[in-house]
Each structure stands twice: as C-alpha cells, then as structure tokens.
Amino acid sequence: MHFHRLSFWLIAPALGALAGVLYSIMFQVETLMNSAIRGILIGAPILLYERGFLFPRWRNRIRGTATPIFVFVTVITYAALIVLGNAVAGTVLHHFFGYMLNAHDAMMMSQSGFVYSLIAAAVTVFVFRLRDLIGPGLFMSLLLGRYHRPTKEERIFLFLDVSGSARFADRHGDLAAQAYLGQIFNALALPVRRSGGSIDDYVGDMALVTWTVPRGARDAACIRCVFDFAKAITDNASTWEARFGEVPRFRAALHCGSVVVAEIGFERHKISYFGDAVNTTARLEILSKTLDVPVLASVDLLGHIGKLPGEFTAQDLGLHAIRGRSEQIGVAAIHRR
C-alpha cells in the first residue's frame, strides 16, 4: 500500500501535465512546457486532494454531506486550489524561466484557462462522487468491464456485523439508528482503503468487505483492517458516547475461497459473488455470536496468510459444523496483543 501511495505522487503530476498540454493544444496559448508546468501545479493538488493526501479531514467532512452540498463545496475548494496553483505556477515560470515581465502578470489566469480548469474540476467531482456512491473497486471494475463475463477468483471475505443495532433502534428510533450505522460504516472506510480492500455491500447493520487473496493475505492486511477499525472506534469512544450514548461493538468473520464474480443487472449494474465461500463466511459470522468471539477467522484463511504478524494471535477453536456445509470447518479466534 505504501508503494501505491508513493506512486500516486508521481502519477498526479503526470496527469496534471497532460491536462496542461491538452489545454495548450486546444486553445493554442503559451508553450507546451509552460502549460505543462501550470497543469502540474494546478492539477496535481486537486488529484492529491481527492486521494486524501491533502486536507483529508476537510475532504472527509465534505464527502459525508448530501450530494448538492458536496458538489458545491467541492467546486469551491477546487476553484481555490486552481487560483493558488496558478499563482505558484506563474511565480515559478517568471523567476526560473523568465516568463512575462513581472511575476504579477505571470500569475494572472486567462478566462479560458479558468473556465477550462473549472470544467475539468466539475468532471472530476462527478467522477469521484460516482465512485464514492458505487465504491472505488466496483467503480473501476464496472468501468473496465472486468466482470462483464463471469470470472472465477480466489477472494477473502469479511462479514462485519454491528452488535446491538436493533436494541439501539428500539431505544432511539429508526432515524437515529440509521445515523448511528452511517457513522460506523464511515469509520470503517479508511481501514478498508488502507488495507487494499473494498466495501462491496451493506445489508442492514452488516458490511461486506472483500480482498483478492494476495492483497488481503499480505501482512495479514484483512485482519489488520478489522483491528484498525476497532482502534478507530476505541480512540473516539468519548465522541461516540457524547453523540449516541454508547460505543459501537461489532463481530467480524473472515474466510476465503473460490467464487464466481459477475456483473449482473441491466438498468442497475452490480457486481455479485457466487459460491460457497460467501455463504460460509455468513455462517461463520453467526457462529462468532454463538461462540461469543468478536473476531473469528477460518483455518483456511490463516493457511493463506501463513505466520501472523507478532501483534496478532490465533486461538484455535477446533472444528465446527455449519449449516449448508457437509464438512466441518476449522476456526480460530483472533486477538491483538
């Protein structure tokens, strides 16, 4: 994941430079080099902002708002980044490349340049909002048509269920319960993204998270995701208590196996998983409640992970029979030291 973060610091300037070159070709203004420099210093900050590298707290607050507010505030944020980036670009072009007679003139942005930047920003807002609504992994898969034809894959599944949500709804009402669950799933998003996973669905008070086996097994990323989420909840316990009157609790079950991944639907497309691994993970989540184990993992998954990092321990709970499966399955309780 650190490699992907580092690589984006190289990709963002390259995409910004490309946008600048396209502007120069379309409007036949400045040289390609000057436009590329402007593109880097205007476009790269916007892309880095959208990836959460710049002003992440501000970005996360905006993403949690209704779409009209999100679009309006994000375009204003982009406009500020455009003006600031252009000012920096003009200063660089004047002092290092002798562009314009003075820095003030070099920093001035043409009307066409500002409109072009805003249109590009608006398109970016639309794409990223659509990605947020669908989910980053699913968005790219649908865009590329990766699963237009059913594909067999080895996947890791996490079923994460919020404990006591029905009781919370009885005490506070359905609207408050929905706000409560919404904040919990918002807190889950960052640990999932850091681990390289994808939140593929929400069913009531349960979230379905998936990884490809290589990505989720590497350094026990799928397990680390669960405990990073638990830490995020614990670190903000006082905030949860103040707002909702309790600190969220959850159960998590992890399993892996071969599934068929397919794009289904006509007017509303969705990527679905078909196979025993999905059903088994759901049954393990029920088993975790029976065994009173907050985090339960199958022995099959632990076999793919290999030796756990030193901060985690696996307590063998033996073989258990689960509904819909002829053979018993070995499970373990996962703890963080």
Side-chain angles (χ1 to χ4, degrees):
M1 289 304 294
H2 292 297
F3 171 77
H4 292 298
R5 291 173 66 88
L6 178 62
S7 66
F8 196 79
W9 282 91
L10 302 175
I11 294 172
L15 293 175
L18 178 61
V21 169
L22 289 175
Y23 169 74
S24 178
I25 294 173
M26 288 171 60
F27 294 92
Q28 297 182 345
V29 295
E30 296 189 337
T31 64
L32 292 179
M33 185 188 71
N34 288 353
S35 291
I37 291 173
R38 285 194 192 273
I40 291 171
L41 294 172
I42 293 173
I46 291 176
L47 292 171
L48 291 171
Y49 167 79
E50 278 299 341
R51 288 285 292 185
F53 298 138
L54 295 180
F55 316 119
R57 290 185 179 180
W58 172 248
R59 172 177 171 269
N60 288 337
R61 287 187 64 184
I62 295 172
R63 289 178 71 192
T65 62
T67 296
I69 298 174
F70 166 82
V71 172
F72 176 76
V73 177
T74 302
V75 169
I76 295 298
T77 302
Y78 280 8
L81 290 173
I82 290 168
V83 172
L84 180 61
N86 184 70
V88 174
T91 302
V92 169
L93 288 172
H94 173 70
H95 287 290
F96 294 97
F97 298 94
Y99 180 71
M100 295 290 187
L101 296 176
N102 56 70
H104 178 268
D105 290 343
M107 290 165 61
M108 295 299 293
M109 194 172 197
S110 67
Q111 183 177 0
S112 63
F114 186 72
V115 171
Y116 174 82
S117 299
L118 275 183
I119 291 174
V123 172
T124 304
V125 170
F126 174 77
V127 170
F128 277 102
R129 188 57 168 182
L130 190 60
R131 188 197 67 163
D132 287 342
L133 292 172
I134 298 175
L138 296 181
F139 176 74
M140 288 304 300
S141 296
L142 289 171
L143 193 65
L144 298 175
R146 185 178 299 163
Y147 302 115
H148 188 67
R149 292 185 176 181
T151 304
K152 202 167 187 178
E153 288 186 352
E154 292 286 327
R155 286 234 164 210
I156 295 172
F157 293 92
L158 162 65
F159 276 45
L160 189 142
D161 181 72
V162 179
S163 303
S165 59
R167 186 179 65 254
F168 185 95
D170 289 339
R171 290 203 310 266
H172 303 284
D174 291 338
L175 290 177
Q178 188 56 48
Y180 177 62
L181 290 173
Q183 289 302 309
I184 293 172
F185 292 142
N186 286 348
L188 176 64
L190 184 57
V192 170
R193 181 158 62 87
R194 283 177 174 170
S195 68
S198 171
I199 302 177
D200 285 356
D201 206 355
Y202 301 104
V203 182
D205 57 4
M206 189 274 294
L208 168 62
V209 185
T210 70
W211 294 262
T212 59
V213 168
R215 180 172 291 183
R218 186 183 304 120
D219 193 35
C222 58
I223 292 175
R224 191 178 303 279
C225 169
V226 176
F227 286 95
D228 284 351
F229 171 60
K231 185 176 185 301
I233 295 294
T234 304
D235 288 349
N236 293 283
S238 58
T239 303
W240 288 102
E241 284 280 5
R243 182 170 180 185
F244 297 106
E246 64 180 68
V247 179
R249 294 176 296 107
F250 66 89
R251 294 186 307 274
L254 297 117
H255 180 53
C256 67
S258 178
V259 292
V260 173
V261 190
E263 182 181 327
I264 62 173
F266 184 71
E267 292 188 350
R268 182 185 183 275
H269 290 251
K270 179 181 178 180
I271 292 175
S272 291
Y273 303 97
F274 303 90
D276 178 66
V278 184
N279 298 328
T280 299
T281 311
R283 302 288 185 259
L284 289 181
E285 190 277 320
I286 297 172
L287 180 63
S288 70
K289 183 177 181 179
T290 304
L291 299 176
D292 194 23
V293 174
V295 182
L296 190 71
S298 70
V299 172
D300 294 343
L301 172 62
L302 295 178
H304 280 87
I305 294 175
K307 184 178 179 181
L308 288 174
E311 64 192 284
F312 302 115
T313 61
Q315 177 189 356
D316 187 5
L317 299 179
L319 296 172
H320 291 267
I322 59 173
R323 186 163 60 86
R325 185 179 171 115
S326 58
E327 296 180 356
Q328 292 184 322
I329 184 170
V331 295
I334 309 298
H335 306 282
R336 197 172 211 164
R337 296 183 190 276

